[in-house]
Amino acid sequence: MGNPKPPPGLDPAQLEQVAGNGLLHRRALLGRGLAIAGMGAGMGVGLRGAAAAPLVDDEWSAYQGKTIAANGVRSKYVEKTTRILSNPNGEPRTQHARTPHEKLHGTVTPNHLHFTIIHNGIPDINPDQHKMVIHGMVRQPLMFTLDKLMRYPMTTRQTFVECGGNSSPMFSNEPVQATLQHLHGLVSNAEWTGVLLSTLLEEAGVDPKAKWMLVEGADTAALTRSVPLTKAWDDAIVVLYQNGEPLMAEQGYPMRLLLPGWEGNMNIKYVRRIKITDQPAMTFYEARNYSPILPNGKAYKFYFVNEVKSFITHPSFGMKINGPGYYDISGLAYSGSGAIKRVMVSADGGKSWAEAAVQGPAQDKSFTRFHIPWRWDGSPAVLTSRAVDDGGNIQPLRADFVRERGVTEKPVVNTMGFYSQHYNSLTSWAVDAKGEIKHVYV
Ligand SMILES: Nc1nc2c(c(=O)[nH]1)N[C@H]1C(S)=C(S)[C@@H](COP(=O)(O)O)O[C@H]1N2
Ligand SMILES: [Mo]
C-alpha cells in the first residue's frame, strides 16, 4: 500500500517562522501542524488518570431546562456584551453607540450591537404612513410606501457602514489607552436587503443633465446630504432588512439609503425624499461637519470613500495574554473601494511583516477576517496589521498619514466635535512581558 502522504498541516517545516518575534506561516492554521510543535500544550486541557473518567452530570444536566420563548434569548452570561452610550440620558444632541469589536468574532455585527449615530433621537415611524418620494429632474415623480417597495425585486449583500468620525481618537498626539470599541467602534458590517436605487430611478426617468441627488431623512434633524448620481447607478440600495429582519429602529426603520463603502453620514436613515438635481446642495453636514480643514489649510471636502483599513481585534487593548505559547492573532479588514486582497501582520512594530490568512471569499466593501498563528516567547512585542485591497490601495503608515492629516494638541477621547477625519492608518498593540496590552503608535 505504501506510506500515505501526511495530510496538509502535518509537516513541522510548515511551522516556519516567517517574520520577527514569532509570527508563523499562515499554513499552520490548516490544522494539525500546531499540535506537532508542542504548541497545542495549554490550549486544550490535558486529561490524565481519574479525571479522564466519564464526566459527572453538572447541575444544569440534571433537570429539564426553561421553556423557550417566542423570541430567542441570549444566555444570561453574555448579556453584558453591550455598547457604551455617549449620551445615555438622551439629551437633545447627538447620541453614539459603538460596536464592541473586541468581544465579537466572525464578520457580521449582530443587530443589537450595530453601532449607531443619531443626531435627534430615534423617530417613531409608523410604517403604514411613511412615504418616500423621488422628484426633481425626473420624467415622472414617484411616491413609495413600504408596501409598494416590497413588491420590487430585492437584492441582498453584505457591506460595512463606517462613520467618517470613526477612529478619531487616533488623531490624538499620544495614544489613547482605550478598548477597540472606543477607538474603532463606529463601524459595523451587516447583510442588507432592499431595492436597488437604480431600479427606482429608471422608473422615474432621470434627466440626462442631472448629476446629483439630495437625500433627506424623516427625523427632526431632516438630515440631508448630496450624493453623486454615479453612486446611485452603481450600487446604492434602499434597504428594508438588516441581517434578515426588518431594519432596527436605530438603523432607519422602515427604510434607509445604503451607499456601500461611502461615509456613514451619507447613508440617510428614515429616507423620505430623493431629489434629483444638477448640483450639490452644500448642506450643513457636507459644508461644515464633514469638511475638516487639513494641515495645509485646505478643506477636505466631498471625500466619500472609507478607504482601506484594518485592526487586530484579538488580542487587543484590555486583554491579557497568559504566558508564552501559541496564539491566534485575528482582526478585521475592509475597504470602501473593493474587496480585501491581503493583510500583512507584524509582531515587531513594523520591522518585519508576514502575510495573514484572509478568510474568504473576501466580499466587496465588507468586513473580512484575518488570522495568523503567533508563538509568543514572553518578551515584549508590538502587534500591528496593514491591509491591501483588490484595487492595490494599501493602508498608509502612520508617519505618512500624520504628515498629511495632522494630530491634535490634546488627546481626543470622545468623537464629539471631532468629525469626519476618515482615519485609516495603522493601530498597534504593545504586549509587555506580563502579557498586558497597551495602545502604541509605530
Ligand atoms: N436620518 C438620519 N440619517 C442618518 C443619521 C441621522 O442622525 N439621521 N446619522 C448618520 C450618521 S452620522 C452615520 S455615521 C450613519 C450611522 O448609521 P447607523 O446608525 O445605521 O450605524 O447614519 C447616518 N444617517
Ligand atoms: Mo457619522
Side-chain angles (χ1 to χ4, degrees), residues 195-208:
V195 182
L196 281 173
L197 181 56
S198 55
T199 307
L200 306 179
L201 291 187
E202 257 159 34
E203 188 178 335
V206 173
D207 183 328

mmCIF file with all atom_site columns, all heavy atoms in Angstrom, residues 195-208:
data_model
loop_
_atom_site.group_PDB
_atom_site.id
_atom_site.type_symbol
_atom_site.label_atom_id
_atom_site.label_alt_id
_atom_site.label_comp_id
_atom_site.label_asym_id
_atom_site.label_entity_id
_atom_site.label_seq_id
_atom_site.pdbx_PDB_ins_code
_atom_site.Cartn_x
_atom_site.Cartn_y
_atom_site.Cartn_z
_atom_site.occupancy
_atom_site.B_iso_or_equiv
_atom_site.pdbx_formal_charge
_atom_site.auth_seq_id
_atom_site.auth_comp_id
_atom_site.auth_asym_id
_atom_site.auth_atom_id
_atom_site.pdbx_PDB_model_num
ATOM 1   N N   . VAL A 1 195 ? -34.140 47.299 -2.247  1.00 0.00 ? 195 VAL A N   1
ATOM 2   C CA  . VAL A 1 195 ? -34.348 47.516 -3.679  1.00 0.00 ? 195 VAL A CA  1
ATOM 3   C C   . VAL A 1 195 ? -33.221 48.405 -4.211  1.00 0.00 ? 195 VAL A C   1
ATOM 4   O O   . VAL A 1 195 ? -32.915 49.445 -3.603  1.00 0.00 ? 195 VAL A O   1
ATOM 5   C CB  . VAL A 1 195 ? -35.713 48.201 -3.919  1.00 0.00 ? 195 VAL A CB  1
ATOM 6   C CG1 . VAL A 1 195 ? -35.961 48.382 -5.412  1.00 0.00 ? 195 VAL A CG1 1
ATOM 7   C CG2 . VAL A 1 195 ? -36.832 47.399 -3.270  1.00 0.00 ? 195 VAL A CG2 1
ATOM 8   N N   . LEU A 1 196 ? -32.606 47.997 -5.309  1.00 0.00 ? 196 LEU A N   1
ATOM 9   C CA  . LEU A 1 196 ? -31.548 48.829 -5.911  1.00 0.00 ? 196 LEU A CA  1
ATOM 10  C C   . LEU A 1 196 ? -32.143 50.186 -6.276  1.00 0.00 ? 196 LEU A C   1
ATOM 11  O O   . LEU A 1 196 ? -33.212 50.252 -6.917  1.00 0.00 ? 196 LEU A O   1
ATOM 12  C CB  . LEU A 1 196 ? -30.997 48.156 -7.169  1.00 0.00 ? 196 LEU A CB  1
ATOM 13  C CG  . LEU A 1 196 ? -29.997 47.022 -6.957  1.00 0.00 ? 196 LEU A CG  1
ATOM 14  C CD1 . LEU A 1 196 ? -29.676 46.347 -8.288  1.00 0.00 ? 196 LEU A CD1 1
ATOM 15  C CD2 . LEU A 1 196 ? -28.730 47.506 -6.267  1.00 0.00 ? 196 LEU A CD2 1
ATOM 16  N N   . LEU A 1 197 ? -31.450 51.256 -5.904  1.00 0.00 ? 197 LEU A N   1
ATOM 17  C CA  . LEU A 1 197 ? -31.960 52.586 -6.217  1.00 0.00 ? 197 LEU A CA  1
ATOM 18  C C   . LEU A 1 197 ? -32.054 52.777 -7.732  1.00 0.00 ? 197 LEU A C   1
ATOM 19  O O   . LEU A 1 197 ? -32.961 53.455 -8.234  1.00 0.00 ? 197 LEU A O   1
ATOM 20  C CB  . LEU A 1 197 ? -31.062 53.655 -5.574  1.00 0.00 ? 197 LEU A CB  1
ATOM 21  C CG  . LEU A 1 197 ? -31.480 55.094 -5.793  1.00 0.00 ? 197 LEU A CG  1
ATOM 22  C CD1 . LEU A 1 197 ? -32.919 55.336 -5.317  1.00 0.00 ? 197 LEU A CD1 1
ATOM 23  C CD2 . LEU A 1 197 ? -30.532 56.044 -5.071  1.00 0.00 ? 197 LEU A CD2 1
ATOM 24  N N   . SER A 1 198 ? -31.142 52.139 -8.474  1.00 0.00 ? 198 SER A N   1
ATOM 25  C CA  . SER A 1 198 ? -31.154 52.293 -9.934  1.00 0.00 ? 198 SER A CA  1
ATOM 26  C C   . SER A 1 198 ? -32.489 51.817 -10.526 1.00 0.00 ? 198 SER A C   1
ATOM 27  O O   . SER A 1 198 ? -32.991 52.394 -11.495 1.00 0.00 ? 198 SER A O   1
ATOM 28  C CB  . SER A 1 198 ? -29.980 51.536 -10.565 1.00 0.00 ? 198 SER A CB  1
ATOM 29  O OG  . SER A 1 198 ? -30.003 50.187 -10.174 1.00 0.00 ? 198 SER A OG  1
ATOM 30  N N   . THR A 1 199 ? -33.088 50.778 -9.940  1.00 0.00 ? 199 THR A N   1
ATOM 31  C CA  . THR A 1 199 ? -34.393 50.284 -10.410 1.00 0.00 ? 199 THR A CA  1
ATOM 32  C C   . THR A 1 199 ? -35.441 51.387 -10.296 1.00 0.00 ? 199 THR A C   1
ATOM 33  O O   . THR A 1 199 ? -36.242 51.602 -11.216 1.00 0.00 ? 199 THR A O   1
ATOM 34  C CB  . THR A 1 199 ? -34.839 49.070 -9.548  1.00 0.00 ? 199 THR A CB  1
ATOM 35  O OG1 . THR A 1 199 ? -33.785 48.116 -9.544  1.00 0.00 ? 199 THR A OG1 1
ATOM 36  C CG2 . THR A 1 199 ? -36.113 48.434 -10.078 1.00 0.00 ? 199 THR A CG2 1
ATOM 37  N N   . LEU A 1 200 ? -35.429 52.103 -9.175  1.00 0.00 ? 200 LEU A N   1
ATOM 38  C CA  . LEU A 1 200 ? -36.434 53.149 -8.939  1.00 0.00 ? 200 LEU A CA  1
ATOM 39  C C   . LEU A 1 200 ? -36.162 54.363 -9.830  1.00 0.00 ? 200 LEU A C   1
ATOM 40  O O   . LEU A 1 200 ? -37.092 54.990 -10.341 1.00 0.00 ? 200 LEU A O   1
ATOM 41  C CB  . LEU A 1 200 ? -36.450 53.547 -7.463  1.00 0.00 ? 200 LEU A CB  1
ATOM 42  C CG  . LEU A 1 200 ? -36.634 52.372 -6.469  1.00 0.00 ? 200 LEU A CG  1
ATOM 43  C CD1 . LEU A 1 200 ? -36.598 52.879 -5.035  1.00 0.00 ? 200 LEU A CD1 1
ATOM 44  C CD2 . LEU A 1 200 ? -37.937 51.615 -6.742  1.00 0.00 ? 200 LEU A CD2 1
ATOM 45  N N   . LEU A 1 201 ? -34.868 54.672 -10.019 1.00 0.00 ? 201 LEU A N   1
ATOM 46  C CA  . LEU A 1 201 ? -34.524 55.835 -10.852 1.00 0.00 ? 201 LEU A CA  1
ATOM 47  C C   . LEU A 1 201 ? -34.871 55.590 -12.310 1.00 0.00 ? 201 LEU A C   1
ATOM 48  O O   . LEU A 1 201 ? -35.291 56.502 -13.033 1.00 0.00 ? 201 LEU A O   1
ATOM 49  C CB  . LEU A 1 201 ? -33.036 56.182 -10.714 1.00 0.00 ? 201 LEU A CB  1
ATOM 50  C CG  . LEU A 1 201 ? -32.586 56.735 -9.357  1.00 0.00 ? 201 LEU A CG  1
ATOM 51  C CD1 . LEU A 1 201 ? -31.138 57.196 -9.421  1.00 0.00 ? 201 LEU A CD1 1
ATOM 52  C CD2 . LEU A 1 201 ? -33.491 57.872 -8.878  1.00 0.00 ? 201 LEU A CD2 1
ATOM 53  N N   . GLU A 1 202 ? -34.702 54.352 -12.741 1.00 0.00 ? 202 GLU A N   1
ATOM 54  C CA  . GLU A 1 202 ? -35.077 54.027 -14.126 1.00 0.00 ? 202 GLU A CA  1
ATOM 55  C C   . GLU A 1 202 ? -36.551 54.285 -14.347 1.00 0.00 ? 202 GLU A C   1
ATOM 56  O O   . GLU A 1 202 ? -36.964 54.836 -15.369 1.00 0.00 ? 202 GLU A O   1
ATOM 57  C CB  . GLU A 1 202 ? -34.759 52.555 -14.431 1.00 0.00 ? 202 GLU A CB  1
ATOM 58  C CG  . GLU A 1 202 ? -33.501 52.402 -15.249 1.00 0.00 ? 202 GLU A CG  1
ATOM 59  C CD  . GLU A 1 202 ? -32.893 51.015 -15.122 1.00 0.00 ? 202 GLU A CD  1
ATOM 60  O OE1 . GLU A 1 202 ? -33.664 50.035 -14.981 1.00 0.00 ? 202 GLU A OE1 1
ATOM 61  O OE2 . GLU A 1 202 ? -31.658 50.919 -15.157 1.00 0.00 ? 202 GLU A OE2 1
ATOM 62  N N   . GLU A 1 203 ? -37.357 53.887 -13.362 1.00 0.00 ? 203 GLU A N   1
ATOM 63  C CA  . GLU A 1 203 ? -38.802 54.084 -13.478 1.00 0.00 ? 203 GLU A CA  1
ATOM 64  C C   . GLU A 1 203 ? -39.146 55.583 -13.481 1.00 0.00 ? 203 GLU A C   1
ATOM 65  O O   . GLU A 1 203 ? -40.028 56.022 -14.232 1.00 0.00 ? 203 GLU A O   1
ATOM 66  C CB  . GLU A 1 203 ? -39.512 53.371 -12.332 1.00 0.00 ? 203 GLU A CB  1
ATOM 67  C CG  . GLU A 1 203 ? -41.009 53.367 -12.501 1.00 0.00 ? 203 GLU A CG  1
ATOM 68  C CD  . GLU A 1 203 ? -41.724 52.621 -11.380 1.00 0.00 ? 203 GLU A CD  1
ATOM 69  O OE1 . GLU A 1 203 ? -41.109 51.727 -10.757 1.00 0.00 ? 203 GLU A OE1 1
ATOM 70  O OE2 . GLU A 1 203 ? -42.893 52.954 -11.124 1.00 0.00 ? 203 GLU A OE2 1
ATOM 71  N N   . ALA A 1 204 ? -38.417 56.357 -12.668 1.00 0.00 ? 204 ALA A N   1
ATOM 72  C CA  . ALA A 1 204 ? -38.703 57.799 -12.593 1.00 0.00 ? 204 ALA A CA  1
ATOM 73  C C   . ALA A 1 204 ? -38.237 58.513 -13.866 1.00 0.00 ? 204 ALA A C   1
ATOM 74  O O   . ALA A 1 204 ? -38.790 59.543 -14.238 1.00 0.00 ? 204 ALA A O   1
ATOM 75  C CB  . ALA A 1 204 ? -38.032 58.400 -11.359 1.00 0.00 ? 204 ALA A CB  1
ATOM 76  N N   . GLY A 1 205 ? -37.205 57.972 -14.513 1.00 0.00 ? 205 GLY A N   1
ATOM 77  C CA  . GLY A 1 205 ? -36.686 58.588 -15.739 1.00 0.00 ? 205 GLY A CA  1
ATOM 78  C C   . GLY A 1 205 ? -35.862 59.829 -15.428 1.00 0.00 ? 205 GLY A C   1
ATOM 79  O O   . GLY A 1 205 ? -36.377 60.934 -15.362 1.00 0.00 ? 205 GLY A O   1
ATOM 80  N N   . VAL A 1 206 ? -34.560 59.640 -15.238 1.00 0.00 ? 206 VAL A N   1
ATOM 81  C CA  . VAL A 1 206 ? -33.700 60.749 -14.813 1.00 0.00 ? 206 VAL A CA  1
ATOM 82  C C   . VAL A 1 206 ? -33.264 61.591 -16.015 1.00 0.00 ? 206 VAL A C   1
ATOM 83  O O   . VAL A 1 206 ? -32.841 61.059 -17.048 1.00 0.00 ? 206 VAL A O   1
ATOM 84  C CB  . VAL A 1 206 ? -32.458 60.190 -14.081 1.00 0.00 ? 206 VAL A CB  1
ATOM 85  C CG1 . VAL A 1 206 ? -31.454 61.291 -13.768 1.00 0.00 ? 206 VAL A CG1 1
ATOM 86  C CG2 . VAL A 1 206 ? -32.891 59.481 -12.796 1.00 0.00 ? 206 VAL A CG2 1
ATOM 87  N N   . ASP A 1 207 ? -33.372 62.907 -15.881 1.00 0.00 ? 207 ASP A N   1
ATOM 88  C CA  . ASP A 1 207 ? -32.906 63.862 -16.899 1.00 0.00 ? 207 ASP A CA  1
ATOM 89  C C   . ASP A 1 207 ? -31.397 63.664 -17.110 1.00 0.00 ? 207 ASP A C   1
ATOM 90  O O   . ASP A 1 207 ? -30.634 63.647 -16.144 1.00 0.00 ? 207 ASP A O   1
ATOM 91  C CB  . ASP A 1 207 ? -33.191 65.279 -16.355 1.00 0.00 ? 207 ASP A CB  1
ATOM 92  C CG  . ASP A 1 207 ? -32.830 66.370 -17.336 1.00 0.00 ? 207 ASP A CG  1
ATOM 93  O OD1 . ASP A 1 207 ? -31.865 66.189 -18.127 1.00 0.00 ? 207 ASP A OD1 1
ATOM 94  O OD2 . ASP A 1 207 ? -33.500 67.422 -17.301 1.00 0.00 ? 207 ASP A OD2 1
ATOM 95  N N   . PRO A 1 208 ? -30.963 63.530 -18.368 1.00 0.00 ? 208 PRO A N   1
ATOM 96  C CA  . PRO A 1 208 ? -29.525 63.286 -18.610 1.00 0.00 ? 208 PRO A CA  1
ATOM 97  C C   . PRO A 1 208 ? -28.631 64.402 -18.073 1.00 0.00 ? 208 PRO A C   1
ATOM 98  O O   . PRO A 1 208 ? -27.437 64.191 -17.870 1.00 0.00 ? 208 PRO A O   1
ATOM 99  C CB  . PRO A 1 208 ? -29.417 63.187 -20.138 1.00 0.00 ? 208 PRO A CB  1
ATOM 100 C CG  . PRO A 1 208 ? -30.793 63.207 -20.680 1.00 0.00 ? 208 PRO A CG  1
ATOM 101 C CD  . PRO A 1 208 ? -31.762 63.530 -19.595 1.00 0.00 ? 208 PRO A CD  1
#
